[in-house]
């Protein structure tokens, strides 16, 4: 699409933010500090203004894959335990994302660790992950988000496999 040239890796994942700001006991002020930290990183993104100009005139939505966004979807749906079939492909409205993040930030570390859609392994990283997502949402606001549980690498691999099959078919042979 039109934004195909606007991508860049930003050095600041959930682990980095957890180390910088902390991810265990997070206050609303700490949450805003995390979001501000990521917003500062996004300000360095070279394609930022180009993307803002494009989305001002073109309809768009965000796609969130794996980790944080799928956790938010599971919480939003009130799942007793994570269910990929219910989460993958879900559309979430902006206000549902905001409300789910608000509830998550209000949870204690122990409650996050005990929640079946989060667990102990992600309890300290899910809020920094949400801060990344929230900074992106604030930078490029959208009405809705599409949730994908099948990650980007999986999707790219499937696309490459399909392209290889099509090329093999044109060559009249199989590999």
């Amino acid at each position: 699409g039109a934004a195909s040239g606007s991508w860049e890796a930003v050095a600041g994942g959930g682990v980095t933010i957890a180390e910088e700001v902390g991810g265990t006991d997070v206050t609303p002020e700490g949450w805003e500090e995390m979001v501000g930290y990521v917003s500062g990183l996004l300000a360095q993104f070279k394609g930022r203004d180009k993307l803002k100009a494009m989305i001002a005139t073109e309809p768009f939505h965000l796609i969130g894959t794996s980790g944080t966004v799928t956790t938010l979807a599971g919480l939003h749906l009130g799942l007793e335990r994570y269910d990929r079939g219910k989460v993958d492909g879900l559309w979430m409205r902006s206000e549902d994302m905001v409300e789910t993040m608000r509830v998550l930030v209000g949870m204690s570390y122990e409650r996050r660790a005990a929640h079946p859609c989060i667990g102990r392994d992600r309890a300290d990283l899910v809020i920094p992950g949400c801060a990344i997502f929230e900074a992106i949402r604030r930078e490029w606001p959208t009405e809705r988000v599409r949730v994908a549980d099948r990650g980007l690498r999986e999707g790219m691999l499937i696309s490459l496999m399909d392209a290889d099959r099509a090329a093999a078919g044109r060559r009249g042979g199989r590999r």
Side-chain angles (χ1 to χ4, degrees), residues 94-104:
S94 180
E95 54 268 27
D96 294 330
M97 282 285 179
V98 170
E99 176 60 18
T100 305
M101 283 189 271
R102 187 191 64 73
V103 168
L104 187 58

Side-chain angles (χ1 to χ4, degrees), residues 51-111:
L51 201 51
K52 274 191 178 218
M54 187 199 75
I55 66 174
T57 59
E58 302 281 335
F60 85 104
H61 64 270
L62 294 174
I63 298 174
T65 64
S66 304
T68 297
V69 179
T70 57
T71 298
L72 286 170
L75 290 170
H76 168 70
L77 293 171
L79 299 180
E80 300 255 337
R81 83 179 106 83
Y82 187 78
D83 182 341
R84 177 187 237 190
K86 291 181 178 165
V87 168
D88 189 41
L90 179 72
W91 285 100
M92 283 185 71
R93 296 175 311 164
S94 180
E95 54 268 27
D96 294 330
M97 282 285 179
V98 170
E99 176 60 18
T100 305
M101 283 189 271
R102 187 191 64 73
V103 168
L104 187 58
V105 170
M107 284 184 185
S108 68
Y109 170 81
E110 284 306 320
R111 187 156 169 232

Side-chain angles (χ1 to χ4, degrees), residues 3-149:
S4 61
S6 296
W7 71 273
E8 181 177 332
V10 177
V15 173
T16 303
I17 295 166
E19 289 169 351
E20 290 285 324
V21 185
T24 305
D25 298 310
V26 181
T27 63
E29 296 78 24
W31 162 252
E32 286 299 329
E33 186 181 342
M34 286 181 195
V35 175
Y37 174 83
V38 179
S39 293
L41 295 174
L42 292 177
Q44 301 166 31
F45 171 48
K46 293 182 189 85
R48 178 178 177 227
D49 293 331
K50 177 180 166 185
L51 201 51
K52 274 191 178 218
M54 187 199 75
I55 66 174
T57 59
E58 302 281 335
F60 85 104
H61 64 270
L62 294 174
I63 298 174
T65 64
S66 304
T68 297
V69 179
T70 57
T71 298
L72 286 170
L75 290 170
H76 168 70
L77 293 171
L79 299 180
E80 300 255 337
R81 83 179 106 83
Y82 187 78
D83 182 341
R84 177 187 237 190
K86 291 181 178 165
V87 168
D88 189 41
L90 179 72
W91 285 100
M92 283 185 71
R93 296 175 311 164
S94 180
E95 54 268 27
D96 294 330
M97 282 285 179
V98 170
E99 176 60 18
T100 305
M101 283 189 271
R102 187 191 64 73
V103 168
L104 187 58
V105 170
M107 284 184 185
S108 68
Y109 170 81
E110 284 306 320
R111 187 156 169 232
R112 291 192 312 267
H115 196 288
C117 287
I118 303 170
R120 192 157 297 279
D121 291 349
R122 295 196 37 81
D124 61 338
L125 298 177
V126 68
I127 292 183
C130 285
I132 294 168
F133 185 65
E134 180 60 13
I136 290 168
R137 278 184 6 83
R138 289 180 188 182
E139 185 70 30
W140 299 289
T142 181
E143 292 298 312
R144 57 193 195 143
V145 175
R146 187 80 188 258
V147 181
D149 187 340

